[in-house]
Structure formats: C-alpha cells, structure tokens
Amino acid sequence: MKDLKHLIYFENLLQEANNELVQQARAEGEHALGYTCYFVPETLLNLPGCFSSRLRAPNTGSIDVGTYYMSSKICSYTRSILERGIEGGYDYLDALLSSETCQMMHRGHEHFEILGLVKEKNPQFFMSMMDVPFSDEDFAVDHYEEQLRIKVLEPLHEVYGVDVSDDALRKAVAEHNEVRIITEIGDLRKAANPVITGYEFHVIQLVSQVCPHKRILPYLKQTLTELKHRKADPQPWFRVRLVVTGSEIDDPAFTKL
C-alpha cells in the first residue's frame, strides 16, 4: 500500500514526551497536564488553556536509577517513567495527575514529590492523586465525582486559574468527542483486507494520547480521509505443505492469509 502521508511525522512525535506539538502548545501558554492511567479522565485535562499528555519513556535504555529508587520488583514502565523524570524528561509539565489504582505507579509518582522532580524548573508544578473506587454503585460514583472536583478541578482553578465552569466542562467534552475519530479509523481494521495495518493504527492511537488534541486532530482527520481512498494490497497466497503420518504431501490448493 502507498505510505500514509503523515506516518513518519507521527513516528517522530513519539520519539520523546516533549514533542513538537507539546512544545508549540507550551509556547502559546497552555498548561501541560501529565497522566499515566486511564482512570484519570483525559477530558478534564483538556479544559480551556490545558492539554493532556500521557507519559511515555521512548528510547529508554538503562533504568538503573529508577530501579535503585524502586527495586527490580516494580514494573519496568513505572521505573522507566521515574528514570526519565529524574533525567528531566518531564520538566515541561505543569501538573501530574494520578490515581491510587496501581500501587507501583502510585509509588513512582510519589518519588516526583520526594525527589522534587519538575518543581525546580516550574515552582507552580503540583501533583494530585485521586482515590478511585472500583465500583459503579451510586455511592462509588458520588465518591469519584468528589475526587475529580477536589483533586483535579479545584487545584487547576486555584493554581492556574483554569475555567472549570459547567460551560467549560461541556465544551471540553464536546471537543474530546471529536477525538473519537480514532474509533472510526480502528473500525477500518475489521475489513477482510484492511487498508490500515496494525502497526499504523497503534502509532496513530499513541499520538492521539501524547499530543495536544486540537493540534493532532487535523492530522487525524486528513489520515482518515486518506484511508477511505486508500487501496489495500492484494492478499498474499501461499502453498500449503501438509505432513501426514511422517510423509509430506503437497496440497494443490492455495490458502489465503
């Protein structure tokens, strides 16, 4: 198939957390809000003047320092995040929002405070950790709503003056729903002979999480239009060789993969 127009650009955006689009947003005064867990609602991190940044540690080599602080028993993702934080890879952040859903990552985020990471570069940097219930019963929903208010909305308003009114929340939800274009792109994978490879889709999915939405969305829309007109390669055919009771038999039929 013909290469996607923006694929190389997408791949380059994934080479570091503080990528080109993140830098553009920060240069225009937008607040970068980091997170590592889907229990932290992406929508609320994209209120006016803010953008969400899902933390990754691309091109990680040694994680000896992260291991020193956390032990080898901790998952490598958590240790990589801490290692990159110690290296200064997340100094662009204005806040780090997290939840107590994973104790390993919880401990990793605590080290951002213990070691004073980011704070030295940005004195206003703050961390906030929510207590998220693992239930959808009414009392749990009420608790989750309260946690979002006191651990996300109120700190953003108090520290950075972010508009957290109902109108601002509804606008953020409406804008977030546009990113659901990812679902439409993913549905193209359901075809018998899809016009997008699994690798391409995962690259697109990742850039939608690590880049400011309003800046990556135009590229996603262009890519969807491109995919709708893209012609899939013919499926390959392979001769099947059967092994029956120790002897090989050539099957004259061909099997489509």
Side-chain angles (χ1 to χ4, degrees), residues 6 8 66 128 150-151 189 207 219 236 238-240:
H6 299 305
I8 293 177
S128 186
I150 66 177
K151 297 296 181 65
R189 289 282 303 150
V207 294
Y219 295 99
F238 296 88
R239 181 177 295 277
V240 176

Side-chain angles (χ1 to χ4, degrees), residues 1-4 188 191-197 200 223-235:
M1 291 183 287
K2 183 179 178 181
D3 291 342
L4 292 176
L188 297 175
N193 188 18
V195 294
I196 179 172
T197 67
E200 290 170 334
T223 299
L224 177 59
T225 300
E226 182 181 358
L227 287 168
K228 288 180 176 179
H229 296 90
R230 194 186 203 190
K231 293 183 179 180
D233 290 336
Q235 288 183 297

Side-chain angles (χ1 to χ4, degrees), residues 13 33 38 48-49 67 72 83-84 108 141 154 159 193 218 226:
L13 289 173
L33 308 180
Y38 67 87
T67 302
S72 60
E83 181 97 17
R84 189 57 52 86
V141 173
E154 290 181 358
V159 178
N193 188 18
E226 182 181 358

Side-chain angles (χ1 to χ4, degrees), residues 101-129:
T101 46
C102 168
Q103 288 305 307
M104 288 186 286
M105 187 57 74
H106 178 180
R107 185 62 177 159
H109 285 188
E110 283 183 333
H111 276 79
F112 274 71
E113 265 188 327
I114 294 170
L115 301 175
L117 307 183
V118 185
K119 193 79 173 177
E120 184 178 341
K121 294 289 184 180
N122 180 2
Q124 285 188 295
F125 172 81
F126 72 89
M127 290 187 57
S128 186
M129 193 165 296

Side-chain angles (χ1 to χ4, degrees), residues 70-207:
M70 300 202 68
S71 96
S72 60
K73 303 296 183 183
I74 301 298
C75 80
S76 56
Y77 172 57
T78 299
R79 285 180 283 149
S80 296
I81 293 295
L82 179 58
E83 181 97 17
R84 189 57 52 86
I86 293 171
E87 293 171 350
Y90 307 122
D91 284 353
Y92 67 93
L93 291 179
D94 291 294
L96 178 57
L97 292 304
S98 58
S99 65
E100 296 182 355
T101 46
C102 168
Q103 288 305 307
M104 288 186 286
M105 187 57 74
H106 178 180
R107 185 62 177 159
H109 285 188
E110 283 183 333
H111 276 79
F112 274 71
E113 265 188 327
I114 294 170
L115 301 175
L117 307 183
V118 185
K119 193 79 173 177
E120 184 178 341
K121 294 289 184 180
N122 180 2
Q124 285 188 295
F125 172 81
F126 72 89
M127 290 187 57
S128 186
M129 193 165 296
M130 300 183 300
D131 174 32
V132 177
F134 289 92
S135 169
D136 60 359
E137 296 182 59
D138 289 344
F139 73 89
V141 173
D142 290 342
H143 177 67
Y144 186 41
E145 180 182 353
E146 181 184 25
Q147 287 290 299
L148 293 177
R149 178 176 56 80
I150 66 177
K151 297 296 181 65
V152 180
L153 298 180
E154 290 181 358
L156 287 176
H157 179 68
E158 292 169 4
V159 178
Y160 295 116
V162 175
D163 183 1
V164 296
S165 64
D166 287 349
D167 288 343
L169 292 174
R170 290 190 175 94
K171 181 181 179 182
V173 170
E175 292 176 349
H176 181 81
N177 286 341
E178 290 190 62
V179 186
R180 295 183 65 183
I181 191 174
I182 289 293
T183 302
E184 194 172 349
I185 293 175
D187 285 342
L188 297 175
R189 289 282 303 150
K190 297 178 181 179
N193 188 18
V195 294
I196 179 172
T197 67
Y199 170 77
E200 290 170 334
F201 174 72
H202 285 295
V203 167
I204 293 169
Q205 169 69 25
L206 274 176
V207 294

